[in-house]
Amino acid sequence: MKLLLILICIYFIPFKKWYIQCQEDPLTISSTTVETQYLHFNMTHYGVDGGVFSSPNFPHNYPQDTILFYQFTASIDYRVVVEIDSFQIRGVSPQCTHDYLDVFINLTDFNFIHDQLLHRYCGRNKPPLLISYTNLLLLGFFTEDTQTERGFNGSFHFISEQRYKNHLIQEPCNYIFNSSISKRGEFSSSTYPGTYLPWQFCNYSFIGLPGERIHIRFRDLMLFKTLNTQHCAIDLIRLYDNIFHSNELQQKNFTNKNIFSEEINEHHITDLCGTYTMPLDIYSTSNYLLFYFITTHYAELTDDEQARLNDASSPLLWRKGFYAEYEFLSTLTKLDFISKTKSNQYLSGTECDQTIKSFGQGYGQIQSPNWPNLYKPQTSCTTYFLGIDDRYALENVEFEFEQFDIDCQIASFVIYNASRIYDYNFNLRSSSVLTNTMSIIKEKSLAFNNYYQQDVDFKDNLTFCGHFKPEGRFVSQNALLKVSFVPNNRLTNRISPSLLTGGKYQAKYKFIKSYHQIADDKFHGTSSNDCNLVYYQSRRQSGKFEPPRSSQNDYFSNSNCTFHFYISNPNFRLLIWYDYFIIADDDYTHCPSDNLTYSYRSYKSSSYSLYPYIYCGYQNFPPPYLTSSSTEQFRIHFRSNNDSNTSLGFNGRYEFINQSHHLFSSKCRNPFDPIIDIDENEQTYGNISSNGYPENIICEWSYRTTYGFQFNLQITILDMEGSKIQDPPLGCQSSVLKIYSHERMDELCGKQENITYILTNSNWFTIQFISLNRQTKEYLQGFYLTWTIVQLKINNQCLLSSNNYFDCQKSSTINETSFCIHRSLICDGFIHCQPLSNHDEFLSNCSQNSSSNSYFISFPFLRQHYILISIIFLLSFIILFISIIFILLIIKTKQDCIAKQKKNKSTNIDLCDVGGDDDNEDFSDIRLIKQTVTTV
């Protein structure tokens, strides 16, 4: 009896609305229960088409304290299909602590104590399509005695279960598909398209005849996959090239999941979960294929996952299962055309795709399937060439046809992300500056890909068909080259009798180094030919570069490397920066041993200009470098002497960028903005700042004034990362402040304690501020700069009138160029004469300037605002003139009235009396107007 009572308690615990209270004494039970109701939906009554159902009172709110079971019963060979249309139940998924709907689809009868709950639904978490695994389906609706909501409604019907029983050899879901019984067909998960059951391990085994391959085409696939993960952790389909024989398959215990032996794992094809673009094709390599469908727990969803589930446009999390077609084919491509080498590898699960991987300057041939005979129609094969692309090397792929014959009615051959080069001759620019460089590159070893001295045009795809071989060679844009044979209509079953055989092709390939690692015994330090590398904007927008290395990862002694960068579009600029920089040399200033230098050439020049800085040292990083708008070619020169003191060298990066690049912000002027022209009489000084220390930004300000004037720059704040003066210096890896003028260039970074003064060599200057990824999170201020237009002194005199310009007299101990400033800058609170003196802020000069030359102090303001002042003066004069005329008219009118009164004293009529006693008011108004006019 006690055992029975305990079982009753366990039975009722999941249904909190029954309020069963099991006391310590099992013989005494106190209970408060709610009446349980049942609704029956039987196929014998409703027929195959079924009907509709809903929560009580729908579409109005359902009642409180409700326990209602919906029992759906189909005939023995049928299943139940339930679809919920509207769903609104109080509660929050997945807890559902208030009201909820429980779903059971795997029942043998309606006593579901031992049957598994599929899922509990509440809130707006509408159940997806439901299909019972048996002929029974149960919904349990539970509400508490508080607030209620609208509820739900739905429909149901019944379907035959025969489609789920075909080829089933063992319950619940172990199938064998035999080619001798059926060459093609379809199969699906056991409750497709309804939600599949948790904790399943289903096996679908395919056994073909010798010489056949199995083709699986998924038409629908939707398995649960945790968001933002790459592997299948919950539910998955696992496919193998099966090695079992049919009798072994039937003897296996498929309910045991631990059957994946090492022998089977060697034949693993792939795992599938989530969703894919349909159709999805899978091929076996032999006449056997194992297909496992594995599901685990019904994982609870996070709030974000639940939101995606409720979004009809994002069905990733719906456990719909799969639906697929299969066929056994003896006409599929044989894989013997794929070379049995370590570099060639068949891609498991494809019809005939392969990868050809380079292990260092590899080369070879590829042929069409069934070579030298014609390939079979509707064959789709892709080859991926994988060159080396790592820290030390990059390879491009060169591809050239030897034979080609593909009927355009059947298929085409596609080469992706490549450019065609028609011959081996160099297509040189007309400029004579390239003559010496090209003569060197022509002689260099064919081990490098930089002999492509012609502009290349990379296409997303190049498509060919016909009976003539495509001319030229094809060069990949990077280390990957993809070529595909694509049928025109792969899905058609109608093939013209004259097209039962396709074409054929044969091509050769080779991997060519771009920047690389060279074996010690192959490096010839006496010849620059071993390290002359070229980078074209037309070939690649960004990449990396570094010197050749030995097997110890150090650069070679006696290296002489030049990296050439060609900017083909004047609307682009080249950005250079470094990830690491270690060049062995103890003299950081002159770098006599190993060093890095720059040179550049403009579009209008035939000669190269040398950048004034030289770089070397341990982590003494060169700053980021942005070319000017006129630069057409930029060169980086790396030199090392013949001693044994070498190191890792450098790892550089480059990118060709235009005005739309994210580094150019609207927060400051950029290199593509026009130059700012300054009138030295209207604006004599100004300020430029970085507005803090922003990250990932490039700013550039360019100023120009009248010829004969120059700029004096005072950097009052410099607070940036890096250091060029620290011992040892750190360089300017991530940010730099550059100041350009005629034949002068200054690089600044780090922190300064004193003000920096720079006098430009011409009437223009450019400030460039580059801040890339910061190395620290320290608070820094960036920079603040003040510029002043100055006039150099000739023969110790200011060239312009002494009335306009002030002589900044320098001390005899200061060795700086003397100059003069505009008198409007005297005593304005900022010392413009530094570093010569601070005379412009002396009190004596202030008083003298304000008393005798006040005209000059105010002259710039008057000049800038003379139009406004003229308008104000003219309006004032007009108002004054009108006021005077008005006053005079009033006075004259009063005088006339007084004269008439004197002539008519005998009469009692006052001719001037227009308002009784208002005369005093009239004259008081006149006095007020006079005062107003006087004030104006």
Side-chain angles (χ1 to χ4, degrees):
M1 184 63 180
K2 293 182 180 181
L3 180 60
L4 178 60
L5 291 174
I6 292 174
L7 288 176
I8 293 174
C9 289
I10 295 174
Y11 177 82
F12 287 114
I13 282 175
F15 312 115
K16 58 180 182 179
K17 286 301 183 176
W18 291 6
Y19 302 109
I20 305 297
Q21 181 181 2
C22 298
Q23 304 293 337
E24 294 182 1
D25 184 359
L27 296 178
T28 305
I29 300 178
S30 175
S31 64
T32 302
T33 62
V34 176
E35 180 181 359
T36 303
Q37 305 175 58
Y38 300 89
L39 293 177
H40 303 277
F41 303 91
N42 200 302
M43 180 176 170
T44 58
H45 176 71
Y46 287 91
V48 175
D49 295 335
V52 296
F53 66 96
S54 66
S55 57
N57 299 333
F58 185 87
H60 304 293
N61 286 13
Y62 51 79
Q64 302 173 351
D65 289 328
T66 299
I67 300 177
L68 177 59
F69 289 97
Y70 300 78
Q71 298 178 342
F72 300 88
T73 305
S75 300
I76 194 62
D77 295 329
Y78 282 79
R79 294 190 179 186
V80 183
V81 179
V82 170
E83 185 172 6
I84 304 295
D85 297 326
S86 176
F87 191 85
Q88 185 175 329
I89 294 179
R90 182 169 179 256
V92 178
S93 180
Q95 293 81 10
C96 298
T97 56
H98 298 286
D99 308 335
Y100 52 85
L101 182 72
D102 282 347
V103 177
F104 302 84
I105 64 172
N106 186 18
L107 302 175
T108 54
D109 57 50
F110 288 117
N111 181 11
F112 52 89
I113 293 178
H114 302 294
D115 291 304
Q116 192 173 33
L117 171 70
L118 176 67
H119 200 59
R120 175 168 292 175
Y121 298 92
C122 65
R124 305 300 185 270
N125 178 19
K126 183 176 74 172
L129 182 69
L130 302 172
I131 298 179
S132 64
Y133 182 75
T134 65
N135 66 323
L136 303 179
L137 188 147
L138 180 66
L139 303 178
F141 182 43
F142 303 88
T143 71
E144 61 181 15
D145 58 351
T146 55
Q147 179 183 354
T148 62
E149 295 196 28
R150 189 182 182 196
F152 60 88
N153 73 322
S155 60
F156 66 95
H157 63 278
F158 305 94
I159 60 174
S160 173
E161 71 169 357
Q162 184 58 44
R163 58 173 292 189
Y164 303 103
K165 297 297 183 180
N166 292 333
H167 306 284
L168 180 67
I169 62 167
Q170 182 180 354
E171 292 286 355
C173 52
N174 294 316
Y175 299 82
I176 289 182
F177 301 87
N178 200 308
S179 174
S180 59
I181 299 175
S182 176
K183 292 295 184 183
R184 62 181 50 86
E186 59 185 23
F187 66 104
S188 66
S189 50
S190 56
T191 55
Y192 177 87
T195 304
Y196 55 77
L197 289 167
W199 304 112
Q200 288 189 99
F201 187 80
C202 299
N203 167 267
Y204 304 79
S205 301
F206 297 85
I207 306 170
L209 299 176
E212 292 182 333
R213 293 175 65 188
I214 297 100
H215 173 210
I216 305 293
R217 170 163 288 181
F218 288 93
R219 295 294 187 180
D220 197 6
L221 176 62
M222 194 176 294
L223 307 184
F224 181 86
K225 181 182 180 182
T226 306
L227 291 176
N228 302 320
T229 59
Q230 299 299 321
H231 63 288
C232 303
I234 307 297
D235 305 330
L236 75 154
I237 291 173
R238 179 164 291 177
L239 292 147
Y240 292 89
D241 270 322
N242 181 34
I243 59 173
F244 292 154
H245 296 294
S246 59
N247 57 344
E248 293 175 322
L249 285 172
Q250 296 181 20
Q251 294 172 5
K252 280 286 181 181
N253 178 14
F254 294 111
T255 59
N256 180 11
K257 298 184 182 182
N258 299 319
I259 67 171
F260 302 114
S261 64
E262 294 182 2
E263 187 176 16
I264 292 179
N265 285 328
E266 292 177 0
H267 296 265
H268 179 225
I269 297 176
T270 188
D271 290 343
L272 302 175
C273 62
T275 58
Y276 298 85
T277 301
M278 296 292 122
L280 174 65
D281 294 307
I282 300 292
Y283 297 86
S284 69
T285 58
S286 66
N287 58 323
Y288 295 109
L289 181 71
L290 283 178
F291 181 117
Y292 293 111
F293 177 43
I294 305 170
T295 67
T296 58
H297 61 286
Y298 205 116
E300 298 295 349
L301 309 181
T302 65
D303 293 339
D304 291 340
E305 291 171 337
Q306 190 60 59
R308 291 191 60 183
L309 177 62
N310 294 336
D311 184 1
S313 63
S314 179
L316 176 63
L317 303 171
W318 183 19
R319 295 169 169 83
K320 188 178 181 180
F322 68 89
Y323 167 72
E325 299 168 347
Y326 71 90
E327 56 182 345
F328 298 92
L329 297 172
S330 58
T331 59
L332 285 177
T333 303
K334 300 297 185 292
L335 301 177
D336 51 5
F337 75 98
I338 300 177
S339 302
K340 308 298 182 183
T341 62
K342 68 174 184 178
S343 61
N344 296 55
Q345 184 177 0
Y346 163 72
L347 286 177
S348 298
T350 65
E351 180 180 2
C352 49
D353 296 355
Q354 64 172 323
T355 59
I356 300 178
K357 185 177 181 181
S358 171
F359 291 92
Q361 292 183 270
Y363 61 92
Q365 283 184 327
I366 64 168
Q367 297 91 19
S368 56
N370 205 33
W371 178 268
N373 300 315
L374 300 177
Y375 60 81
K376 297 177 181 179
Q378 297 188 324
T379 298
S380 178
C381 297
T382 298
T383 300
Y384 301 89
F385 298 91
L386 305 177
I388 295 176
D389 185 5
D390 56 25
R391 176 178 173 182
Y392 306 109
L394 171 67
E395 290 181 332
N396 295 93
V397 186
E398 185 180 288
F399 185 86
E400 185 176 4
F401 289 104
E402 295 180 319
Q403 295 189 42
F404 189 88
D405 185 8
I406 296 177
D407 196 317
C408 293
Q409 298 184 56
I410 296 179
S412 57
F413 192 92
V414 184
I415 304 175
Y416 297 90
N417 293 318
S419 178
R420 190 202 305 232
I421 297 178
Y422 287 93
D423 53 53
Y424 289 85
N425 297 324
F426 297 105
N427 181 17
L428 299 180
R429 300 172 184 261
S430 59
S431 176
S432 61
V433 70
L434 298 180
T435 303
N436 295 333
T437 304
M438 293 303 110
S439 63
I440 294 176
I441 299 178
K442 284 181 181 179
E443 299 173 358
K444 79 179 168 56
S445 169
L446 292 180
F448 301 89
N449 71 346
N450 298 290
Y451 56 81
Y452 302 130
Q453 302 298 320
Q454 55 179 296
D455 288 338
V456 289
D457 185 16
F458 289 99
K459 304 292 186 182
D460 292 339
N461 59 75
L462 299 167
T463 304
F464 305 96
C465 66
H467 305 292
F468 297 97
K469 179 183 73 172
E471 295 299 326
R473 296 168 296 131
F474 301 89
V475 181
S476 66
Q477 189 173 9
N478 46 44
L480 170 65
L481 179 67
K482 174 185 175 182
V483 298
S484 297
F485 175 76
V486 182
N488 291 342
N489 191 353
R490 180 168 171 76
L491 303 181
T492 183
N493 293 322
R494 298 179 180 179
I495 300 177
S496 174
S498 62
L499 302 178
L500 292 179
T501 56
K504 62 181 179 181
Y505 61 87
Q506 178 175 280
K508 62 182 180 181
Y509 66 88
K510 60 181 176 180
F511 298 95
I512 305 172
K513 287 187 176 180
S514 176
Y515 60 93
H516 46 80
Q517 184 182 49
I518 302 176
D520 293 21
D521 57 350
K522 293 185 179 180
F523 180 77
H524 305 287
T526 58
S527 173
S528 62
N529 299 343
D530 284 336
C531 190
N532 219 325
L533 307 178
V534 183
Y535 303 86
Y536 287 99
Q537 178 189 352
S538 58
R539 292 197 59 190
R540 182 183 298 171
Q541 291 296 311
S542 62
K544 50 189 177 180
F545 61 94
E546 56 188 351
R549 303 175 184 278
S550 68
S551 55
Q552 286 76 34
N553 287 334
D554 287 346
Y555 60 79
F556 291 96
S557 299
N558 202 24
S559 293
N560 187 13
C561 296
T562 300
F563 304 87
H564 303 260
F565 298 88
Y566 288 93
I567 306 171
S568 59
N569 189 334
N571 294 321
F572 280 75
R573 295 195 179 189
L574 174 67
L575 178 64
I576 299 288
W577 73 100
Y578 297 86
D579 290 335
Y580 69 85
F581 186 86
I582 305 176
I583 294 181
D585 202 315
D586 295 332
D587 187 348
Y588 299 134
T589 304
H590 302 95
C591 302
S593 299
D594 304 344
N595 57 67
L596 195 74
T597 57
Y598 298 157
S599 64
Y600 53 90
R601 179 181 60 82
S602 69
Y603 288 95
K604 300 179 181 179
S605 175
S606 60
S607 61
Y608 287 87
S609 299
L610 182 64
Y611 193 66
Y613 286 87
I614 186 170
Y615 306 100
C616 65
Y618 177 77
Q619 293 188 351
N620 183 22
F621 283 90
Y625 186 95
L626 183 69
T627 60
S628 67
S629 59
S630 62
T631 301
E632 182 182 22
Q633 184 181 357
F634 181 77
R635 301 188 303 189
I636 299 177
H637 310 275
F638 171 64
R639 307 288 183 265
S640 64
N641 61 12
N642 56 5
D643 62 22
S644 59
N645 186 18
T646 62
S647 58
L648 287 176
F650 57 86
N651 185 4
R653 294 185 180 272
Y654 71 91
E655 185 173 1
F656 297 96
I657 58 179
N658 60 11
Q659 190 171 3
S660 62
H661 197 274
H662 68 87
L663 289 175
F664 300 124
S665 171
S666 59
K667 298 178 180 179
C668 63
R669 295 184 65 85
N670 65 63
F672 299 92
D673 290 334
I675 192 169
I676 302 174
D677 287 303
I678 303 295
D679 188 332
E680 71 280 1
N681 292 317
E682 293 185 359
Q683 187 177 359
T684 54
Y685 78 101
N687 302 308
I688 303 174
S689 74
S690 59
N691 292 321
Y693 194 28
E695 188 176 13
N696 292 318
I697 192 172
I698 297 179
C699 303
E700 188 173 294
W701 300 263
S702 295
Y703 288 82
R704 179 175 57 196
T705 189
T706 305
Y707 183 79
F709 290 89
Q710 294 173 220
F711 290 91
N712 183 39
L713 309 180
Q714 299 186 39
I715 305 175
T716 54
I717 297 177
L718 182 65
D719 190 17
M720 300 166 59
E721 290 183 336
S723 173
K724 295 178 71 68
I725 60 176
Q726 182 177 325
D727 189 18
L730 300 177
C732 309
Q733 180 182 9
S734 62
S735 57
V736 65
L737 176 67
K738 293 185 179 182
I739 303 176
Y740 296 88
S741 186
H742 179 65
E743 296 182 348
R744 174 166 183 169
M745 214 292 299
D746 294 272
E747 288 182 351
L748 303 172
C749 67
K751 303 174 184 295
Q752 72 171 17
E753 296 181 359
N754 301 316
I755 298 177
T756 300
Y757 302 97
I758 297 175
L759 181 64
T760 65
N761 295 336
S762 63
N763 64 323
W764 65 271
F765 73 93
T766 295
I767 301 292
Q768 191 179 86
F769 174 67
I770 303 178
S771 176
L772 303 181
N773 293 322
R774 290 189 54 178
Q775 306 300 309
T776 67
K777 297 302 180 183
E778 178 185 2
Y779 172 74
L780 298 172
Q781 301 179 65
F783 78 92
Y784 188 88
L785 173 151
T786 299
W787 56 264
T788 303
I789 296 179
V790 301
Q791 174 77 36
L792 296 189
K793 295 172 64 176
I794 303 299
N795 297 328
N796 203 30
Q797 290 183 351
C798 297
L799 293 182
L800 298 179
S801 172
S802 58
N803 291 330
N804 293 334
Y805 277 79
F806 175 80
D807 184 2
C808 293
Q809 302 174 7
K810 69 176 181 179
S811 171
S812 58
T813 59
I814 297 178
N815 187 21
E816 297 287 348
T817 302
S818 298
F819 56 80
C820 306
I821 64 173
H822 199 279
R823 284 192 173 275
S824 64
L825 299 177
I826 298 176
C827 299
D828 65 348
F830 185 86
I831 303 177
H832 296 276
C833 285
Q834 289 285 18
L836 303 180
S837 66
N838 58 352
H839 289 178
D840 57 320
E841 295 297 315
F842 279 3
L843 293 178
S844 59
N845 292 326
C846 293
S847 59
Q848 178 184 1
N849 194 65
S850 60
S851 60
S852 62
N853 297 303
S854 59
Y855 165 78
F856 299 106
I857 297 177
S858 59
F859 179 74
F861 176 83
L862 295 176
R863 183 179 179 89
Q864 294 178 33
H865 302 90
Y866 71 93
I867 296 178
L868 179 62
I869 294 173
S870 301
I871 293 174
I872 294 174
F873 178 80
L874 180 61
L875 290 176
S876 301
F877 178 78
I878 292 173
I879 293 173
L880 180 61
F881 179 77
I882 293 174
S883 301
I884 293 173
I885 295 298
F886 181 71
I887 293 172
L888 292 176
L889 288 174
I890 293 176
I891 294 174
K892 187 176 184 302
T893 302
K894 287 295 182 181
Q895 289 176 348
D896 291 342
C897 290
I898 294 172
K900 290 179 180 181
Q901 276 186 338
K902 291 180 178 179
K903 291 180 181 181
N904 298 283
K905 285 184 178 180
S906 58
T907 66
N908 294 327
I909 301 173
D910 190 352
L911 298 176
C912 295
D913 188 7
V914 294
D917 297 331
D918 292 343
D919 290 346
N920 293 332
E921 293 183 7
D922 290 341
F923 283 101
S924 65
D925 290 343
I926 293 173
R927 287 193 297 271
L928 180 60
I929 292 175
K930 289 181 178 180
Q931 292 174 2
T932 303
V933 172
T934 303
T935 304
V936 173

